[in-house]
C-alpha cells in the first residue's frame, strides 16, 4: 500500500492547521517516530495540549513559548508510549493543568510463562491521569467538545479523539499517513487492532491528525487500505504455512525478503501478532505454545 511520507516537521515552529488548531513536532526523529511526535495545540484563549511528547524539557519549553502565555486548561493523552505521554508530567509541573485521557499503561494480555516483554522499554509506566476517559465519553475542555473513541491494538489503552462539530479526528498512532501502526504482543493485539480499524470505518470524519507525520486526508478510503493490507498479510502468512510447520524467522525471511534485515525483528513481532490472532481464531496452532519461538502450523 502507498504511504504519504512527505512531511516537513518544522521543529520549534507552531504549524497552523486551522484557526485554533496547530501542530508542534518534537525533535525526536527515529525509525518508529518518523520525524518526531506531533503535539497538537487546540483552542483560542484557553488551550488543550494533546500528546506533549517524550520527557524532553526542550520540547516542553517550545510548547510554552509558542503558546505565548495562554492558559493550558488540560493535557490530553492518546496512549502511553514513551514518545507521547511522559512530557505530560513536565507540562503539568509548569502549568498545573490536569492530565486527561487514556488509562494507565497495560498490556493487551498477561505475559506467558517465561515470556520476556520485547516492548517493555516503550511503555510509560509512570503515567497516571487525573481524569481517565472511556470509550464513547464526551467531555469539554477549553470550549472544545471531544469524543473519546477506544481504539486498542497499537496499545491496549489507545484512544482517538473526535472533535464535535468538525470533520477532524485526532488519531494518535492508530492511523498514520506515513506508515502502518506497530501492532505487537503482548502490549498490542492484532485482533483488537482490526476491530478498532472497523470502528474507524464506521465513522464519517475524513481528516485525521496522527501522532507522527502529516495529515491523513480521505481517511475512510485510507483506513480501508490499511485493513486490506493486514488481511493480505494474514493470507500470506497462512499460505506460508500451507505445507508444513514454520517458525516466525522462516516466515519473515520469505515475506520480508526485500526489507532491510535490521527491521526483521520488528517484522517478526508483527507476524507473531497475526499468528496470535489466527491461533485464537482456531486457524493455526502453535507448538509447544503461543510464543515468539514457537512453531506454527495450519489447522483445517
Ligand atoms: Zn505509540
Amino acid at each position: 500500500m502507498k504511504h504519504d511520507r512527505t512531511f516537513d516537521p518544522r521543529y520549534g515552529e507552531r504549524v497552523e492547521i486551522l484557526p485554533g488548531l496547530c501542530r508542534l513536532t518534537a525533535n525526536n526523529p527515529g525509525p518508529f517516530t518518523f520525524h518526531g511526535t506531533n503535539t497538537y495545540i487546540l483552542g483560542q484563549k484557553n488551550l488543550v495540549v494533546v500528546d506533549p511528547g517524550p520527557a524532553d524539557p526542550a520540547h516542553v519549553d517550545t510548547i510554552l513559548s509558542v503558546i505565548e502565555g495562554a492558559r493550558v486548561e488540560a493535557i490530553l493523552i492518546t496512549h502511553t508510549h514513551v514518545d507521547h505521554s511522559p512530557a505530560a508530567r513536565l507540562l503539568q509541573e509548569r502549568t498545573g493543568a490536569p492530565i486527561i485521557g487514556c488509562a494507565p499503561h497495560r498490556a493487551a494480555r498477561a505475559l506467558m510463562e517465561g515470556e520476556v516483554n520485547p516492548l517493555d522499554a516503550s511503555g510509560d509506566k509512570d503515567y497516571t491521569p487525573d481524569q481517565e476517559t472511556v470509550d464513547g465519553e464526551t467531555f469539554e475542555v477549553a470550549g472544545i467538545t471531544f469524543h473519546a473513541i477506544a481504539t486498542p491494538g497499537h496499545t491496549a489503552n489507545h484512544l482517538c479523539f473526535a472533535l464535535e462539530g468538525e470533520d477532524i479526528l485526532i488519531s494518535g498512532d492508530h492511523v498514520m499517513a506515513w506508515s502502518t501502526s506497530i501492532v505487537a504482543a503482548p502490549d498490542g493485539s492484532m485482533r483488537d487492532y482490526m476491530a478498532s480499524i472497523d470502528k474507524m470505518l464506521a465513522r464519517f470524519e475524513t481528516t485525521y491528525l496522527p501522532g507522527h507525520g502529516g495529515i491523513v486526508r480521505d481517511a475512510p478510503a485510507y483506513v480501508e487500505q490499511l485493513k486490506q493490507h493486514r488481511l493480505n498479510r494474514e493470507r500470506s502468512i497462512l499460505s506460508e504455512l500451507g505445507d508444513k510447520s514454520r517458525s516466525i524467522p522462516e516466515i519473515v525471511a520469505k515475506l520480508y525478503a526485500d526489507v532491510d534485515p535490521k527491521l526483521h525483528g520488528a517484522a517478526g513481532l508483527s507476524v507473531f501478532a497475526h499468528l496470535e490472532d489466527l491461533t485464537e481464531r482456531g486457524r493455526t496452532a502453535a507448538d509447544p505454545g503461543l510464543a515468539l519461538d514457537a512453531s506454527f502450523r495450519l489447522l483445517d
Side-chain angles (χ1 to χ4, degrees):
M1 68 173 298
K2 279 215 162 43
H3 296 289
D4 180 2
R5 295 177 57 93
T6 55
F7 181 67
D8 178 0
R10 293 165 66 180
Y11 298 126
E13 249 183 82
R14 167 190 176 127
V15 177
E16 189 175 74
I17 293 166
L18 288 171
L21 169 54
C22 69
R23 177 180 68 217
L24 182 66
T25 303
N27 194 346
N28 61 330
F32 301 114
T33 59
F34 196 32
H35 290 283
T37 306
N38 291 329
T39 298
Y40 293 99
I41 302 170
L42 295 88
Q44 302 287 354
K45 228 168 87 215
N46 293 338
L47 306 176
V48 182
V49 176
V50 183
D51 284 359
D56 172 12
H59 183 57
V60 175
D61 284 343
T62 310
I63 294 172
L64 291 170
S65 93
V66 303
I67 67 174
E68 297 170 337
R71 178 168 167 268
V72 177
E73 196 169 306
I75 301 161
L76 211 56
I77 302 295
T78 61
H79 70 295
T80 45
H81 272 154
V82 291
D83 53 327
H84 289 261
S85 55
R89 298 185 286 282
L90 304 180
L91 189 59
Q92 180 166 58
E93 274 168 28
R94 307 274 295 271
T95 61
I99 299 169
I100 302 177
C102 68
H105 193 74
R106 66 172 188 275
R109 62 157 168 80
L111 280 185
M112 289 178 282
E113 200 175 317
E115 185 181 19
V116 176
N117 185 346
L119 312 162
D120 208 39
S122 62
D124 173 12
K125 283 145 210 121
D126 296 325
Y127 166 85
T128 43
D130 297 297
Q131 187 187 324
E132 215 177 288
T133 47
V134 297
D135 187 38
E137 187 175 340
T138 295
F139 56 97
E140 197 198 306
V141 263
I144 301 162
T145 303
F146 293 88
H147 296 287
I149 309 152
T151 43
H154 173 68
T155 59
N157 62 359
H158 196 287
L159 295 178
C160 292
F161 298 107
L163 306 188
E164 186 168 278
E166 305 279 353
D167 177 21
I168 292 176
L169 182 140
I170 295 171
S171 58
D173 285 6
H174 180 48
V175 175
M176 303 179 286
W178 77 282
S179 168
T180 54
S181 308
I182 293 175
V183 179
D187 287 11
S189 150
M190 190 59 74
R191 173 179 267 198
D192 289 351
Y193 171 81
M194 293 304 274
S196 296
I197 283 292
D198 283 337
K199 216 167 182 179
M200 295 292 100
L201 288 174
R203 301 194 61 90
F204 70 89
E205 291 90 355
T206 60
T207 300
Y208 288 7
L209 306 177
H212 306 274
I215 297 172
V216 176
R217 312 270 184 199
D218 197 8
Y222 181 69
V223 173
E224 181 60 36
Q225 283 183 52
L226 290 174
K227 178 176 175 172
Q228 292 309 322
H229 171 78
R230 300 286 178 165
L231 292 175
N232 287 338
R233 181 60 76 201
E234 182 182 286
R235 276 192 285 274
S236 311
I237 292 170
L238 288 171
S239 75
E240 283 306 310
L241 296 177
D243 50 343
K244 65 183 209 86
S245 290
R246 287 189 199 276
S247 68
I248 288 174
E250 285 170 337
I251 296 169
V252 169
K254 288 286 291 288
L255 299 188
Y256 294 83
D258 53 354
V259 169
D260 184 345
K262 272 189 273 183
L263 297 172
H264 281 190
L269 294 178
S270 174
V271 169
F272 182 45
H274 277 292
L275 284 164
E276 188 175 72
D277 179 23
L278 286 164
T279 301
E280 282 169 10
R281 285 157 49 201
R283 302 285 309 276
T284 55
D287 304 305
L290 254 186
L292 256 178
D293 59 359
S295 169
F296 294 87
R297 62 190 159 83
L298 280 187
L299 291 178
D300 3 76

